[in-house]
Amino acid sequence: MGKNLQTGDRLRPIDLARGHGLSTQAIRNYEEAGILPAAGRTSHGYRTYTPLHALALGAFLALLPGHGHQRSTSIMRAVNEGEIDEALRLIDEGHAQLLDDRRTLQAVESALRDLEPAAASGPDAESSPGGTFIGPLAGQLGIRSATLRKWERAGLVRPRRDPRTGYRVFDEADVRDARLAHQLRRGGYLLEQIAPLIAQVRAAGGREPLEAALGDWRGRLSARGRAMLTGAAGLEAYLRERGSRVSP
């Protein structure tokens, strides 16, 4: 590609790099990675690019914010190898991941909304001030004590031990985490999916700070969705220019 060009069609690596604040080495790396089609060569062996290469570079850079470097590279490589169905599959995969992330966010938001004020812990909890024993908490949630012990092993709750009896004692944060885990389990989430969400609650410092973090999360998902639209437009422009060189 690019060997039978008119002089005005030829672009040097610096011409491609300059418009995007890249180095000429980055352009060469992109070509070697398959992100750009193979460059033509002058009689002296210098690389020459064309407006088609410029479109390929623009498509890749447009894909990056929505799909990330690895998937964007794979998409461009598939296109340049004529594997359009594979490129479209990778794009679909990115959209599916975004949808899954949205559903996870919605599940956390729903679980937080559904959290009810903790019920009275009962007389058993009074023997350990500032906490609730496993039995009363399991009763409040309508689950077995064995389930709470399983959640502890999975890192969803982290009760302390009563120094006199050795019994598990769940403080206010543990009760919150147990209730959140219960809501997410009812929503069909697996323990390994819940654990990082509970960790986010702890890192945020509780429910109220987490709600602000969820707002940021929602904003990032929206930005990613719009970036995917921009990336799709850039890729479509590149595909259109390639014309008959690729399958429709």
Side-chain angles (χ1 to χ4, degrees):
M1 179 185 296
K3 292 187 177 180
N4 298 317
L5 299 172
Q6 297 179 358
T7 302
D9 291 329
R10 290 180 177 175
L11 299 171
R12 300 167 300 168
I14 188 63
D15 296 324
L16 287 183
R18 194 178 282 148
H20 298 284
L22 300 171
S23 67
T24 54
Q25 184 60 52
I27 299 300
R28 290 191 287 270
N29 291 344
Y30 287 163
E31 182 188 347
E32 291 171 5
I35 293 167
L36 303 181
R41 296 281 181 164
T42 68
S43 58
H44 297 289
Y46 294 114
R47 287 180 172 87
T48 60
Y49 297 102
T50 70
L52 184 65
H53 291 87
L55 278 175
L57 178 59
F60 173 69
L61 296 177
L63 288 167
L64 275 178
H67 291 278
H69 193 280
Q70 182 175 347
R71 184 179 289 121
S72 298
T73 298
S74 296
I75 291 169
M76 293 303 298
R77 186 183 296 125
V79 168
N80 291 326
E81 292 173 355
E83 301 291 338
I84 306 303
D85 285 344
E86 173 62 10
L88 295 176
R89 185 195 68 77
L90 290 165
I91 291 170
D92 290 344
E93 191 177 76
H95 283 281
Q97 181 62 60
L98 177 61
L99 178 59
D100 187 56
D101 290 346
R102 287 191 186 281
R103 286 173 173 161
T104 299
L105 171 61
Q106 291 168 354
V108 174
E109 290 176 328
S110 176
L112 286 173
R113 283 195 303 270
D114 292 342
L115 289 181
E116 299 174 357
S121 300
D124 289 338
E126 295 176 1
S127 61
S128 181
T132 303
F133 284 136
I134 193 169
L137 178 57
Q140 292 171 29
L141 297 176
I143 60 177
R144 297 181 302 163
S145 297
T147 299
L148 281 171
R149 287 192 287 270
K150 182 178 180 180
W151 291 359
E152 181 185 3
R153 289 193 296 273
L156 306 188
V157 292
R158 299 183 297 189
R160 58 184 171 84
R161 296 282 181 160
D162 184 280
R164 292 180 295 117
T165 65
Y167 293 158
R168 293 172 174 82
V169 180
F170 296 80
D171 63 18
E172 184 178 346
D174 290 315
V175 172
R176 175 205 64 209
D177 293 348
R179 289 177 175 275
L180 181 56
H182 185 45
Q183 291 293 338
L184 291 169
R185 285 294 290 139
R186 289 173 61 183
Y189 280 79
L190 303 176
L191 297 185
E192 55 266 31
Q193 295 172 309
I194 296 172
L197 301 179
I198 297 291
Q200 287 183 343
V201 175
R202 291 180 185 138
R207 174 176 173 174
E208 290 74 18
L210 180 64
E211 288 174 349
L214 291 177
D216 292 339
W217 186 2
R218 193 182 311 109
R220 289 195 302 273
L221 292 181
S222 296
R224 198 162 115 214
R226 295 192 66 173
M228 285 182 172
L229 294 177
T230 302
L235 184 61
E236 172 59 22
Y238 176 50
L239 288 171
R240 220 171 28 242
E241 186 66 21
R242 281 174 61 92
S244 61
R245 301 181 196 180
V246 297
S247 302

